[in-house]
Structure formats: structure tokens, C-alpha cells
Amino acid sequence: RRALEGEGFELAFQPIVAVAGGEESQYQALLRLRDENGELHPAGRIIPLAERADLIVDIDRWVIQTALKAITRREQDGRRIRLFVTQAGTSLASTGQADWLREVMAQAPVGHGSLVVDIRLDDALMNAEVVRRFCESVSGSGVQFCLSQFHIGTDGASLMEALPLSYVKLAPKYLAAGVTQAMRDELKVLIDQAHRRNVQVIGHRVEDAQAAATLWMSGIDFIQGNLVQQVGSELDFDFQSAVL
């Protein structure tokens, strides 16, 4: 509550880099809370507390507004940027949230696709119809959507068909050490299915070259993780010179 009322929250950023190269600048925006002692706390520690305190909608709105300010500053300097922002299923299901986001996007002078709402697969599965209505309601406002922690099975494939997705982020199991041939085959099937629907695939939390090589051979589109660059406070990654 003190962070929302003051200056306690901030965003950190990690680049999402195209495997095939390119100049497109895009980052994952990551929520952080700086406490009275100056220590930074990650979103994984903040969000469960926020949900129990019924503050998650307010925090998610702060994230979107702060991301849009960062996008606006860059675009005013003539530099396009895309930011991915995670939103909780609770926020998407909140009454009036779609109307609020459409209004915010109408007031923000940002390009189409500059903001990507990142939705966790489990949240989408729990509230599939609510999430679908939310996405369809705001998709015309220039927002794009990403489904994270995605994997074959459960009802992931049906969600990919039902939602207006532009991206999916892979589940951690595809990046684990010692991935089996069966898992690599499954990964290729997943990527092929996504590409047939014009959905691009992001390898998330890529930490080592072996995992990156597996993803590259499977036809991945983008890589995000400490192998590329650690999370930081600046939007200064050199996408043009990045070679994976």
C-alpha cells in the first residue's frame, strides 16, 4: 500500500531478442518493490501478498501505466519499442478492467503492438471464457497478447485457437537440462502449431548456450534470459548488434 501511494514500485527490463536478428526493440517489463532499506523484491514475492490484500488490480494498472509512459518517451524520441507486461487473471476478470485499458490506450500516443499483455497459462485455463472476452474486447485498441508458460497438453492448443494471441512463451520444461529427444520433438510440434496460427514463440529464462541451441534448432523466434542479458533498469540493449 505504501509503495502504491509513494515511489516504492519500479520496473526492470530484460531484452527479448530475435534469433534471426533485427533491429526491433522489445523487453519484458518486470515489477520490483524497493523497501525502506533499499532492498529490491521481485514480482514473485509481491504478487501473492497483493492478491491476498486485494491490491492486485491497482498494481497491475500501475504496471501498465508506467510501461506506457516508458513507451511514449521512446517514441517521442523517434525510437519504437515493445514492452511485455504480465497481468494477473484476477485483474483481467475485474469488472471494468477492459473498459479501463481501452480508455488508457486511447489516451496514450503509442503505436499498435507497442504494449503486449502477458497472461499466464494457468490463469487463462481457470477463467478461459473471461480471458477470451477480455482479449477480444481490447484487441482493437492496439494491445497484443502473449500466453506464457505454454506447453502442449491441458487445453493449451485450444486456448491458442480461442485467444487473439501474437506470442506464446515456453514452459520451463522445454529449457531444463538434459531435455530428452521426446521433449525436443514435442517442442517442434508446439512451434509448428504456433507458426501455423501466425503466433511467434519466445524461449523464456534461457540461461545457457545448450538450451539456446535446442531452441534455435526447433525453430524458435525469440530468446529472453540471462544468456542474452540480465535484468536491468535501462532500455539500452543493442538489438542491431545482437548475435545469438
Side-chain angles (χ1 to χ4, degrees), residues 114-154:
S114 296
L115 184 75
V116 181
V117 170
D118 197 336
I119 306 166
R120 287 179 287 267
L121 177 65
D122 287 347
D123 285 343
L125 289 173
M126 287 178 60
N127 301 283
E129 184 59 24
V130 170
V131 170
R132 184 191 64 78
R133 289 199 302 268
F134 176 89
C135 293
E136 291 183 349
S137 176
V138 302
S139 60
S141 64
V143 177
Q144 292 184 324
F145 297 95
C146 174
L147 196 60
S148 65
Q149 300 176 351
F150 189 83
H151 60 92
I152 289 180
T154 59

Side-chain angles (χ1 to χ4, degrees), residues 1-22:
R1 288 192 180 94
R2 289 196 298 271
L4 279 171
E5 293 168 359
E7 300 290 331
F9 284 123
E10 56 190 74
L11 291 181
F13 305 97
Q14 189 169 48
I16 302 172
V17 179
V19 172

Side-chain angles (χ1 to χ4, degrees), residues 54 56-58 61 88-102 130 133-134 137:
D54 199 26
I56 191 62
V57 174
D58 291 333
R61 288 186 176 186
T90 308
S91 294
L92 303 186
S94 175
T95 302
Q97 186 71 351
D99 292 337
W100 176 85
L101 183 53
R102 284 197 303 271
V130 170
R133 289 199 302 268
F134 176 89
S137 176

Side-chain angles (χ1 to χ4, degrees), residues 157-171:
S158 61
L159 276 176
M160 190 158 55
E161 292 183 4
L163 301 179
L165 299 176
S166 297
Y167 307 90
V168 294
K169 283 186 178 179
L170 297 176

